Amino acid sequence: MTPLQIKICGLTNPKDARACADLGADMIGLNFYPQSSRYIEPQRAREIVEVLAGSVRAVGVFVDASADEIRNTAKRVGIESVQLHGDFSPETCRELAREFRVIRAFRTDARFEPEEAGAFPDCDVLLDAHHVELRGGTGLTCDWPAARATLPFARFLILSGGLNAQTVGQAIATVAPHAVDVCSGVERAPGVKDYRTIEKFIAAVRRAEC
């Protein structure tokens, strides 16, 4: 059985990134959306990637960016995985998937249909909660039944939205995702991670797998 993967998003400094790797994270997220409170400059992101030295997979998070902007930033930072929020077409995702591992993000609002994920066979799928203004890191809970219904249409499903050490076990039992993504649930402040809380979150994920 393949272990469920853990992604910790919204990293803003090398120290926190190194701690995530040491505590057992499989992926970390670097947010390149300027309106986010966890936004990170590409040069700073590159410092994080260099500190990690391939020990975990670094994922660049983009919102409504052009393919060229995504490509240029990813290559400048040195990342091979990109997470796309917003209105990205299957064609754009297919184009980027020739160069990167692509995670196509969806928000489980009232308009979301699980079948939408099937239009992106070249991508992993991340499901997050809906927020009128924010894209990720909201602390709101994803629609777990909708996420479960998406499984047949996704090659690799990442569950996000409102997860923490207290809720992640139930989320895994309900959805059976391939990976879980946490951001605000392991923070002391936006972009500042709490190591003890990360440790508890990862332990809760591993217990849920047993």
Side-chain angles (χ1 to χ4, degrees):
M1 180 178 175
T2 303
L4 193 146
Q5 294 190 23
I6 298 170
K7 177 172 174 284
I8 300 177
C9 206
L11 275 295
T12 58
N13 64 80
K15 181 181 177 183
D16 284 1
R18 184 69 260 168
C20 288
D22 291 344
L23 290 169
D26 302 287
M27 297 177 271
I28 59 106
L30 303 170
N31 196 319
F32 299 115
Y33 182 43
Q35 297 180 42
S36 172
S37 58
R38 301 171 183 86
Y39 170 74
I40 185 168
E41 293 282 351
Q43 181 55 45
R44 183 67 163 165
R46 185 171 182 84
E47 294 173 12
I48 291 175
V49 171
E50 289 174 348
V51 163
L52 293 174
S55 57
V56 302
R57 178 155 59 97
V59 179
V61 179
F62 299 87
V63 178
D64 290 328
S66 69
D68 283 343
E69 180 183 349
I70 293 166
R71 188 179 291 109
N72 292 338
T73 300
K75 290 183 177 180
R76 178 180 174 189
V77 174
I79 55 178
E80 298 178 351
S81 299
V82 297
Q83 180 175 311
L84 311 180
H85 293 252
D87 297 322
F88 287 93
S89 69
E91 292 74 23
T92 298
C93 290
R94 189 178 307 115
E95 173 191 341
L96 289 168
R98 296 190 186 105
E99 302 174 67
F100 307 101
R101 182 165 180 175
V102 177
I103 301 170
R104 177 65 164 88
F106 295 90
R107 296 186 292 178
T108 55
D109 57 19
R111 297 172 297 174
F112 174 72
E113 296 289 344
E115 294 82 359
E116 292 180 45
F120 299 85
D122 304 298
C123 304
D124 299 343
V125 171
L126 180 142
L127 294 184
D128 200 355
H130 171 68
H131 189 282
V132 176
E133 297 176 353
L134 302 178
R135 302 294 183 97
T138 66
L140 300 176
T141 301
C142 176
D143 184 334
W144 292 351
R148 176 75 184 199
T150 306
L151 269 175
F153 305 100
R155 69 176 189 184
F156 188 90
L157 183 69
I158 305 170
L159 181 66
S160 186
L163 298 179
N164 54 47
Q166 290 70 47
T167 63
V168 72
Q170 183 64 38
I172 292 169
T174 302
V175 179
H178 302 102
V180 291
D181 179 295
V182 65
C183 185
S184 61
V186 293
E187 287 184 329
R188 290 186 282 114
V192 181
K193 304 307 180 188
D194 184 287
Y195 303 163
R196 179 59 180 150
T197 306
I198 292 172
E199 188 175 17
K200 290 179 179 178
F201 180 84
I202 291 175
V205 172
R206 297 305 171 216
R207 283 196 303 271
E209 291 183 296
C210 297

